[in-house]
Amino acid sequence: EEEEVALSVGVVNLLGTVGIFVLPALVFALQAPADDAIVLTGGSLHAVGHVVAAGYTVSEEVGVGATAVKMGRIALLIPIVLFLALRQSRRRGIQDTAAPRGLHKLLPGYLLGFLVLAAARTAGFLPDAVAAVLGDLAKIALTIAMAGIGLQLQLRVLLRQGPRALLAGVLVWAGQIGFLLLGLRLL
């Protein structure tokens, strides 16, 4: 439901903001090498802005590397979303899903737009000036979308479901950090 989405986004953003301070402190407390700090920071925060802020707090190297890890995580969403969309379309009986004209039925428009623009930028068809303007517009659109989601959150829902959602978010985030730390120690 919409209010649950707003609550989830709120919890993720709250924990990301906390992570800007907690992850660098954890990296320094563990005396983690730069490679570990990169994986931990880029692999445990859910917004690029949070990753950038936390990573550059540690060092330039960690900031650049953590941002690359986060962008890699974002890139991995594309095949996952495509797989889930194909699976869902088969359940709903959408025909001809492999044809390009059926792709719009599978993927959200923003993801198709992202893929087209990313391909155009990578191929050099999108000039730097246009990319800069689109980047600024994307930041404005994201700010408006996040504000809109936040404004949909009703105080009664926050008071009723907020503590449980926050606890669930903290447990998942702590598990994610623990999993990353364990993986770094084992590798």
Side-chain angles (χ1 to χ4, degrees):
E1 304 216 8
E2 286 185 27
E3 44 190 37
E4 291 170 333
V5 170
L7 184 61
S8 299
V9 169
V11 167
V12 167
N13 280 311
L14 175 63
L15 292 176
T17 302
V18 169
I20 291 171
F21 304 100
V22 169
L23 283 170
L26 181 62
V27 164
F28 291 129
L30 295 173
Q31 298 178 351
D35 288 345
D36 289 3
I38 287 168
V39 171
L40 187 60
T41 305
S44 66
L45 293 173
H46 299 290
V48 174
H50 295 139
V51 171
V52 168
Y56 280 97
T57 298
V58 176
S59 72
E60 177 89 14
E61 178 185 6
V62 172
V64 169
T67 303
V69 168
K70 176 59 184 164
M71 297 310 287
R73 288 175 55 204
I74 291 170
L76 289 174
L77 287 175
I78 295 168
I80 292 170
V81 169
L82 187 56
F83 168 77
L84 292 174
L86 284 168
R87 192 169 136 210
Q88 186 68 17
S89 71
R90 287 195 178 110
R91 286 186 178 165
R92 290 186 180 169
I94 296 174
Q95 300 300 316
D96 199 21
T97 57
R101 68 181 189 282
L103 198 56
H104 70 280
K105 293 179 182 179
L106 295 176
L107 297 177
Y110 69 88
L111 189 54
L112 286 173
F114 171 79
L115 290 171
V116 168
L117 289 173
R121 180 73 173 146
T122 302
F125 296 132
L126 200 61
D128 290 342
V130 174
V133 169
L134 290 176
D136 290 342
L137 290 174
K139 289 174 190 170
I140 292 168
L142 182 60
T143 301
I144 292 169
M146 297 302 283
I149 290 171
L151 290 172
Q152 289 180 352
L153 185 58
Q154 297 175 6
L155 185 57
R156 64 176 173 75
V157 174
L158 182 60
L159 293 174
R160 186 179 72 237
Q161 295 179 351
R164 286 184 295 171
L166 184 58
L167 177 62
V170 167
L171 291 174
V172 168
W173 189 42
Q176 189 176 8
I177 291 170
F179 179 76
L180 287 168
L181 287 171
L182 179 64
L184 288 169
R185 295 297 167 247
L186 293 176
L187 297 177

